[in-house]
Amino acid sequence: MNKTQRLQKWYDDNPTADSVLYGEHMHVGANQTILRAGLHGMDMDENSVVLDMACAVGGNARWIASLYKCRVYGNDIDAKAIEVANELAEIEEISHLCTFFVSDAANTELEDASCDLVVSTDIYDMPEIARVLKPGGRFLLSSLFKDEAPSPTEIAKTWNLKLEMMRNVTELARTFHHAKEAEAHMLQKCGIITNKQLIQALNDIISPNRRGGHHLLVRWRKHP
């Protein structure tokens, strides 16, 4: 079974709106363009250790492992997604670089100060990130920041981090979700997704990401 076939089986076995619409990369930021922008200027090599927090089927983690030949960990609460991530790493012949395991974001069980980089899209736990990052390690996040949520500057102050980079990608995110809304309607008309899946996609995924706040790409560095 090749990568495309394994992913298609995942979509067939998990016909939820996010899987059907968003595919392997289920969030804004879980794609190579945004990830490359966030990693730009960093010295990544085969000695780097990376955690992809709440990795789903491990799209970002496997991309980083393939690009830099470095050790990458990925955790998620969805055991089926982790199974797919491990199988895809085998198919891509990078299983020796990737370790995917079931855990929630608050308890990865990785060693203290063991990671040079933590990446996440939307789902993250700051106490756990601060614990696993090495001094000088980075946290790269793409997420919707609601107006009432702590700002990147406030997060930096609270967790002894330096705000190293911040890009407002709100317009990109709005365009992304507008396209996904159009795709959802098209898939429903073609009979690929049901009316229930369409409503779920619009109410639970697309609409919340288009209401208020700013979608930011942020990189912090832990103080030495």
Side-chain angles (χ1 to χ4, degrees):
M1 184 180 294
N2 63 30
K3 176 182 175 180
T4 300
Q5 292 168 332
R6 186 61 186 92
L7 281 170
Q8 186 59 51
K9 185 178 186 302
W10 162 251
Y11 304 146
D12 292 342
D13 293 343
N14 299 271
T16 58
D18 57 351
S19 297
V20 172
L21 281 177
Y22 292 82
E24 182 181 5
H25 304 294
M26 295 182 183
H27 305 271
V28 176
N31 59 66
Q32 294 175 11
T33 300
I34 294 294
L35 194 57
R36 286 176 63 195
L39 294 173
H40 183 68
M42 289 184 56
D43 295 325
M44 296 284 293
D45 58 30
E46 66 274 8
N47 296 313
S48 301
V49 179
V50 180
L51 169 64
D52 183 3
M53 182 169 277
C55 67
V57 296
N60 277 354
R62 288 182 285 104
W63 186 79
I64 290 173
S66 294
L67 184 62
Y68 298 108
K69 309 301 181 186
C70 61
R71 165 60 61 183
V72 177
Y73 296 92
N75 74 292
D76 201 277
I77 60 172
D78 187 338
K80 291 182 179 179
I82 291 298
E83 180 182 349
V84 175
N86 279 310
E87 289 186 22
L88 290 173
E90 289 279 356
I91 290 169
E92 295 177 353
E93 299 182 350
I94 53 171
S95 59
H96 61 293
L97 298 174
C98 299
T99 302
F100 295 105
F101 56 94
V102 178
S103 81
D104 61 32
N107 184 23
T108 64
E109 298 187 2
L110 295 178
E111 293 183 4
D112 293 355
S114 58
C115 296
D116 298 288
L117 172 67
V118 177
V119 298
S120 183
T121 53
D122 292 333
I123 300 172
Y124 61 98
D125 183 83
M126 283 309 307
E128 185 69 355
I129 290 167
R131 183 185 72 79
V132 302
L133 273 182
K134 297 177 181 179
R138 271 102 164 194
F139 173 38
L140 176 62
L141 172 69
S142 173
S143 185
L144 176 66
F145 282 76
K146 294 289 188 179
D147 293 335
E148 66 275 12
S151 69
T153 301
E154 291 169 331
I155 290 173
K157 182 177 180 181
T158 301
W159 296 103
N160 191 35
L161 305 172
K162 177 183 177 182
L163 182 56
E164 196 170 58
M165 183 204 71
M166 182 169 65
R167 300 281 184 270
N168 190 324
V169 294
T170 302
E171 288 304 314
L172 184 153
R174 286 174 180 167
T175 301
F176 175 81
H177 287 293
H178 181 74
K180 290 301 175 183
E181 181 177 1
E183 288 179 19
H185 284 286
M186 180 185 69
L187 292 173
Q188 184 270 337
K189 289 178 181 178
C190 293
I192 296 174
I193 66 173
T194 65
N195 290 338
K196 182 179 179 180
Q197 288 174 311
L198 173 64
I199 293 170
Q200 180 192 9
L202 297 179
N203 291 344
D204 298 345
I205 304 170
I206 295 172
S207 293
N209 280 285
R210 294 171 63 184
R211 286 193 214 118
H214 294 87
H215 206 108
L216 304 176
L217 177 65
V218 189
R219 192 173 78 206
W220 296 268
R221 185 170 186 174
K222 185 175 182 179
H223 287 295

